[in-house]
Amino acid sequence: MALWIGNIVFALLAILFTVFAPWGWSGATIYGVVACFFAQNVWYFLWEGRKNILCFEFLFFIAYFFVNFAYPLFYYHQDTFFLFYCIPWEHNVISRATAIAYLGYAFYMLGLLSVRKRNADSSSQESKTDTVQSAKEVTYHHFLLLFACMIVFFGLYIITGGWQAMKSVYAGGGSLREVGIYSYFHVLFTIAAYLVCIFIFRLPRSRRWLYLLVVLCVMAIILSTGSRSVALSMALILVVGWNNNVRPFRLWEVLLLLMMGELLHHDHQLPTHVHSPDSQNFWRK
């Protein structure tokens, strides 16, 4: 009951922030909204007392913060180029838009509690166990097929010039807009790689480590070009797979992984306008 009451209070605060949000950027509104956003999540996770913190709610909390609150909180007053925010928009609504974003999240939390309660009332423990067991079923032959597809498509991607083209882009001499036959192999490789990462920890322990080593080598090759999106996506899938199938991560381990991901993000960051020197001026017009 206390969890419900707390989230109702946060929802009421979100309504007040939205109604009384001033015109233009307001530090009181932005900081207040972000403070409530973090306080509501701390309240939820502490009250739930979940041993497995690396869950959908936690990942959604992190993603929602960066999508909706990072820009007004950190970047709005800086002269930082973000392609999306260089599209003309009404800057005076930033405080109210931020408050509305939190309003949606506050009521999402109420809906989450409602769904969790309904599922707990309607589902027996036996049915949940059966569902988990059936979801983990994947044959070794199916995995081998996915793994072979990943290796073949990755090899074709390199042979057809994709690796060299990506290195050229991140060295400043190419363009992400260039399309070749390697682009199609890149799409096929990405799909196969994600599926391999999803199922790799559902293999028997004696069989998984060789495949995991190959996947890590592939990720290292991708990172060597300067590109990070596919490698980080694969890493995130592996982290969640380990958490769900091997051992749940502790809170300090999750925070350490987040810091490592942020460092990796900045170390391999490609300026958005590297392929077009005039793009920043174009979007600022």
Side-chain angles (χ1 to χ4, degrees):
M1 181 58 70
L3 187 59
W4 272 96
I5 294 174
N7 280 280
I8 290 173
V9 170
F10 283 116
L12 293 174
L13 288 174
I15 293 174
L16 292 177
F17 274 121
T18 302
V19 172
F20 295 104
W23 194 246
W25 191 92
S26 168
T29 300
I30 301 296
Y31 297 142
V33 162
V34 174
C36 287
F37 174 76
F38 277 99
Q40 185 172 13
N41 281 280
V42 170
W43 174 264
Y44 173 78
F45 287 111
L46 288 180
W47 191 266
E48 282 285 291
R50 300 185 62 151
K51 295 181 180 179
N52 184 4
I53 192 173
L54 197 63
C55 54
F56 170 80
E57 295 95 313
F58 183 78
L59 296 177
F60 185 68
F61 150 63
I62 297 295
Y64 202 87
F65 169 77
F66 282 106
V67 170
N68 293 283
F69 302 129
Y71 179 78
L73 186 63
F74 299 118
Y75 299 115
Y76 179 72
H77 291 298
Q78 299 181 18
D79 187 22
T80 305
F81 173 67
F82 287 95
L83 183 63
F84 180 81
Y85 289 105
C86 289
I87 298 174
W89 61 285
E90 179 54 72
H91 290 249
N92 288 321
V93 302
I94 188 169
S95 294
R96 177 152 295 174
T98 305
I100 291 174
Y102 176 57
L103 178 67
Y105 188 87
F107 278 89
Y108 149 77
M109 292 295 286
L110 288 176
L112 175 64
L113 292 178
S114 177
V115 170
R116 287 175 63 87
K117 184 178 184 304
R118 184 180 61 190
N119 290 342
D121 293 340
S122 62
S123 300
S124 63
Q125 188 62 35
E126 290 77 15
S127 64
K128 289 181 181 178
T129 303
D130 293 340
T131 301
V132 173
Q133 288 299 116
S134 62
K136 289 185 177 182
E137 290 180 358
V138 55
T139 67
Y140 185 57
H141 297 294
H142 291 158
F143 179 83
L144 280 180
L145 178 61
L146 289 173
F147 186 80
C149 289
M150 182 191 76
I151 296 300
V152 170
F153 291 139
F154 186 63
L156 291 172
Y157 170 70
I158 294 177
I159 292 172
T160 54
W163 186 72
Q164 190 61 41
M166 190 62 68
K167 284 191 66 175
S168 177
V169 168
Y170 283 84
S175 172
L176 289 173
R177 297 178 181 177
E178 294 179 1
V179 177
I181 190 172
Y182 57 81
S183 303
Y184 302 100
F185 290 126
H186 182 267
V187 172
L188 295 172
F189 156 72
T190 302
I191 295 172
Y194 288 171
L195 291 173
V196 166
C197 292
I198 288 172
F199 293 117
I200 196 168
F201 288 115
R202 297 180 183 178
L203 295 175
R205 182 176 299 181
S206 59
R207 290 180 170 179
R208 72 170 66 128
W209 300 112
L210 176 61
Y211 300 108
L212 182 60
L213 178 62
V214 175
V215 168
L216 293 176
C217 290
V218 169
M219 291 167 57
I221 294 173
I222 296 173
L223 288 174
S224 70
T225 67
S227 175
R228 66 192 184 279
S229 56
V230 174
L232 289 180
S233 297
M234 292 171 66
L236 180 59
I237 296 172
L238 289 174
V239 166
V240 174
W242 177 281
N243 180 81
N244 292 340
N245 298 283
V246 181
R247 179 182 65 81
F249 285 98
R250 299 179 180 89
L251 177 59
W252 70 268
E253 293 173 329
V254 173
L255 296 177
L256 179 63
L257 288 171
L258 289 174
M259 287 189 291
M260 291 173 58
E262 182 64 18
L263 289 174
L264 188 62
H265 170 80
H266 284 293
D267 287 344
H268 294 84
Q269 189 166 9
L270 172 68
T272 310
H273 55 282
V274 67
H275 59 274
S276 179
D278 297 327
S279 60
Q280 183 168 348
N281 294 330
F282 173 80
W283 287 106
R284 291 190 186 278
K285 290 179 181 180

